Structure formats: structure tokens, C-alpha cells
């Protein structure tokens, strides 16, 4: 993780100074990092006495983020034309307005600042993008500490939650990530309990999620000499077991622990003609390359995509793309 430069801090500070109010928005189907970084920016604005709206299209499927749903709206609050001109849009944990999903109102008309850490994000004048950062929350924490100072216990807990989510509770970090560990240590010093956050992240799973997980494991198949594992979920599965509280993270963890497995893919048939795809990998395999071929993107070892197609035709295409990068 890079340390944010003074010029980057100043660009964000100037953006805040140049606008009277703000909209904070993160990507659809939010995860802990999206929620954490959104709330983290709202804390900064509160300390700077700037009004804001928190937007997210949802849905809030993940068990660990459901309690935050009431803090977010799906439509832009009423503003006069002049108020719109003086309102800034801050996008966190993604860089494209299209990734925000179905928000009621035209976000394209607002002056925009982007805070993101995805490898596929494109830098612009009003942005702080660091693909070496494991979470957007890490970037927001740096901005907070520069502009506000030491976070209180609630603020520290929120920021810790975001970083813990995108690092798999620090499993994906290595010896070169000492700045990340230094950052979370400051959050612990501010009153965060890692044990409590781990329990929030891993507990409270529904019975149906365990049943669905069993089905996904049964369907899993190995490709490319056992280095790639792919499984899938049908629309019938969704109707039977519901959409709430899925635990795909547990699926990825178990499959990546198998000897010889370097990458895992989970395909979900969302509609008759479209699917979402989750990609995870270990070490050298860059799944963002494959995700980009299906209109998605993300990190080297964790990416996603939404694309037209059906499971039975997409899986051979996915295997073909992985064959180019897995030897």
C-alpha cells in the first residue's frame, strides 16, 4: 500500500471546499469495504461540517452488512438546480457510474471525485486510486487521519471492518504489506476489537447458506490439470434457498485449500440470459485479466463480472480464457 501524497490529500480537500454538499455512493451489491469506505467518507464530511447523502442501490445481501442498510437510500434527495451545481459526488470502491446500479436520479450531472483501489480503475484529475491498497477503506483511513486526526472508537471499528473484509481478515496480506498492518494497529489502539469484528463477519449465517454451500461443493469440477475449479448456481437454487446471506467466501476458501488448485470460479445464473461470475486465486494467477474478458474487473486475486449468457456456455469460455494464463 502506498502512502497518499500531500498533493492527493490537497486535491480531495479542495474538492470538499469547492462544494456545499455531497452525495456518497458505492457499487451495487455492496460488500464490507464498500459500506465501510462510504461511511468513512461520511465521517470526514461530518467533521468538516458538510452535509451529505449516502446512496447505494443494494441489495444488502451479505449478513454482515444488513445492519447498515437503513443508513443508505436508493434515490437522490430533492435539490434545486443551484444546489445540484454546488453538490459533489464522491464514488468509493469503484470508478464507474455504471457500477453504482439503479439509483433514482442522474448522477452523471454531478462533479465527481473517485476513491478506489481496483486494478482496472482509471485515474482522473479528481481521484485517489491505489491498486496496491488492499481495500478502499485503507485509502479513506489515510484521508481521515490527514484531515481529521485519530478516529473515535465507532469510526475506527467501521474502517477496520472494511479492511478486514477485503483482506479476508488479513489472510491475503504478506510481508510487504507492513503499512496496512500499521494502519489497522492504529485502529485497534483507537478501540477496535478484532475478535468482535471477526465474529460479525463470520457469524449469523442462515441454515440455507450451508445447504447451498454443500450443493456448490458437489457441483465443483476441476479443469486445466486440477489448477482451476469451477462451480455454479442455477435459478432454481436461488428460488429454493433464497438470495440472502450467501457465503461464497467460504466456498472460495475451501477450494483454494485443495492441493494444486490455483484459481476458483463461481458462476450464478441471475436471469434466463445473464450471469454473475466471481473469481478468486492464489499468488501468481491474475484473475482480473479473465474477469475483464467478461466485462468485469477487480484485483489480481479477487475479481467479478456480470455478463450475458448461460452457465453451460460460459463455463467453456471461462476455461479457455484461463488456459491462456495458467500453465
Amino acid at each position: 500500500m502506498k502512502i497518499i501524497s500531500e498533493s492527493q490529500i490537497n486535491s480531495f480537500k479542495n474538492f470538499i471546499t469547492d462544494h456545499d454538499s455531497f452525495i456518497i455512493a458505492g457499487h451495487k451489491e455492496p460488500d464490507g469495504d464498500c459500506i465501510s469506505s462510504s461511511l468513512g467518507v461520511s465521517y470526514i464530511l461530518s467533521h468538516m461540517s458538510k452535509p451529505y447523502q449516502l446512496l447505494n442501490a443494494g441489495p444488502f445481501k451479505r449478513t454482515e452488512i444488513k445492519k447498515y442498510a437503513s443508513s443508505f437510500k436508493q434515490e437522490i434527495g430533492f435539490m434545486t438546480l443551484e444546489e445540484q451545481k454546488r453538490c459533489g459526488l464522491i464514488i468509493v470502491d469503484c470508478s464507474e457510474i455504471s457500477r453504482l446500479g439503479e439509483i433514482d436520479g442522474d448522477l452523471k450531472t454531478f462533479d465527481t471525485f473517485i476513491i478506489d483501489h481496483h486494478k482496472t480503475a482509471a485515474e482522473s484529475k479528481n481521484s485517489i486510486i491505489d491498486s496496491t491498497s488492499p481495500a478502499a477503506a485503507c485509502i479513506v483511513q489515510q484521508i481521515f487521519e490527514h484531515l481529521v486526526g485519530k478516529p473515535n472508537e465507532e469510526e475506527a471499528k467501521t474502517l477496520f471492518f472494511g479492511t478486514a473484509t477485503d483482506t479476508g481478515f488479513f489472510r491475503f496480506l504478506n510481508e510487504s504489506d507492513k503499512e496496512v498492518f500499521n494502519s489497522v494497529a492504529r485502529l485497534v489502539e483507537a478501540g477496535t476489537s478484532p475478535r468482535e469484528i471477526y465474529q460479525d463477519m463470520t457469524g449469523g449465517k442462515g441454515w440455507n447458506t450451508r445447504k447451498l454451500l454443500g450443493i456448490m461443493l458437489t457441483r465443483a469440477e476441476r479443469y486445466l490439470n486440477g489448477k482451476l475449479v469451477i462451480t455454479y448456481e442455477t435459478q432454481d437454487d436461488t428460488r429454493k434457498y433464497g438470495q440472502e446471506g450467501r457465503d461464497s467466501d467460504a466456498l472460495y476458501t475451501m477450494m483454494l485449500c485443495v492441493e494444486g488448485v490455483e484459481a476458483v470460479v463461481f458462476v450464478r445464473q441471475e436471469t434466463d440470459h445473464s450471469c454473475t461470475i466471481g473469481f478468486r486465486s492464489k499468488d501468481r494467477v491474475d484473475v482480473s485479466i479473465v474477469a475483464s474478458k467478461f466485462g468485469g474487473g477487480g484485483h489480481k486475486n479477487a475479481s467479478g463480472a456480470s455478463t450475458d449468457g448461460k452457465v453451460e456456455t460460459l463455463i467453456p469460455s471461462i476455461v479457455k480464457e484461463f488456459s491462456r494464463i495458467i500453465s
Side-chain angles (χ1 to χ4, degrees):
M1 179 180 75
K2 298 175 183 176
I3 302 299
I4 295 177
S5 68
E6 196 66 33
S7 63
Q8 289 176 309
I9 293 294
N10 287 334
S11 69
F12 182 79
K13 186 177 181 179
N14 291 336
F15 186 82
I16 301 304
T17 302
D18 291 343
H19 297 86
D20 294 337
S21 64
F22 297 87
I23 294 169
I24 306 167
H27 58 77
K28 62 183 179 180
E29 295 195 20
D31 58 5
D33 187 31
C34 177
I35 296 302
S36 173
S37 50
S38 295
L39 291 172
V41 170
S42 78
Y43 298 154
I44 295 171
L45 295 178
S46 292
H47 281 283
M48 299 180 75
S49 300
K50 293 283 188 173
Y52 61 84
Q53 304 176 47
L54 282 164
L55 297 185
N56 197 285
F60 289 72
K61 296 179 181 178
R62 298 169 182 260
T63 304
E64 67 271 22
I65 66 168
K66 286 182 178 179
K67 63 184 178 182
Y68 298 107
S70 61
S71 298
F72 293 81
K73 297 186 180 301
Q74 294 183 334
E75 70 284 336
I76 301 172
F78 174 78
M79 286 185 279
T80 65
L81 185 59
E82 186 59 32
E83 286 172 334
Q84 291 181 35
K85 292 178 181 178
R86 300 293 302 163
C87 180
L89 169 64
I90 302 175
I91 298 177
V92 298
D93 203 29
C94 70
S95 58
E96 308 89 6
I97 285 182
S98 61
R99 286 277 288 119
L100 302 181
E102 297 298 321
I103 299 291
D104 188 6
D106 187 4
L107 291 172
K108 295 178 181 178
T109 62
F110 293 93
D111 194 14
T112 303
F113 196 100
I114 294 170
I115 300 173
D116 195 14
H117 69 122
H118 291 98
K119 183 178 178 180
T120 50
E123 290 193 40
S124 62
K125 176 185 175 183
N126 288 336
S127 69
I128 298 178
I129 296 173
D130 176 16
S131 61
T132 69
S133 178
C138 289
I139 301 173
V140 173
Q141 180 183 345
Q142 290 190 66
I143 298 171
F144 186 102
E145 291 172 337
H146 273 85
L147 297 182
V148 180
K150 181 178 178 179
N152 62 34
E153 184 175 337
E154 178 188 357
E155 294 162 343
K157 182 177 180 180
T158 300
L159 293 169
F160 187 103
F161 172 56
T163 299
T165 296
D166 263 24
T167 60
F169 213 83
F170 315 110
R171 298 194 314 274
F172 307 145
L173 300 180
N174 55 46
E175 64 277 6
S176 65
D177 293 307
K178 62 180 181 179
E179 289 299 340
V180 182
F181 286 109
N182 288 336
S183 294
V184 296
R186 294 194 295 273
L187 299 177
V188 173
E189 183 182 348
T192 299
S193 168
R195 180 176 58 85
E196 289 180 6
I197 290 182
Y198 182 77
Q199 289 173 343
D200 287 344
M201 291 172 58
T202 59
K205 306 298 184 184
W207 174 253
N208 277 355
T209 68
R210 307 299 93 179
K211 300 288 284 185
L212 184 58
L213 182 58
I215 292 172
M216 299 301 100
L217 292 172
T218 301
R219 287 196 187 132
E221 296 288 346
R222 294 190 291 180
Y223 302 86
L224 305 178
N225 296 319
K227 295 179 181 180
L228 172 66
V229 172
I230 301 179
T231 189
Y232 62 91
E233 177 182 327
T234 68
Q235 287 179 279
D236 284 341
D237 296 330
T238 304
R239 284 188 283 268
K240 184 175 181 179
Y241 295 104
Q243 300 186 39
E244 302 302 315
R246 285 191 181 95
D247 196 8
S248 52
D249 287 341
L251 173 69
Y252 297 132
T253 298
M254 285 189 282
M255 290 293 96
L256 287 172
C257 287
V258 175
E259 183 180 7
V261 173
E262 297 184 12
V264 178
V265 177
F266 175 39
V267 185
R268 179 184 298 128
Q269 191 77 52
E270 299 285 359
T271 70
D272 288 343
H273 304 289
S274 67
C275 291
T276 55
I277 314 172
F279 303 85
R280 297 293 186 275
S281 68
K282 294 189 296 190
D283 305 324
R284 68 180 186 87
V285 178
D286 188 346
V287 291
S288 70
I289 296 173
V290 179
S292 68
K293 300 295 184 180
F294 297 90
H299 311 291
K300 177 182 177 181
N301 300 122
S303 293
S306 297
T307 187
D308 293 336
K310 295 190 175 184
V311 167
E312 57 267 27
T313 55
L314 282 172
I315 288 179
S317 298
I318 292 168
V319 174
K320 181 179 179 180
E321 294 300 332
F322 268 101
S323 69
R324 305 178 195 276
I325 63 172
I326 291 182
S327 56

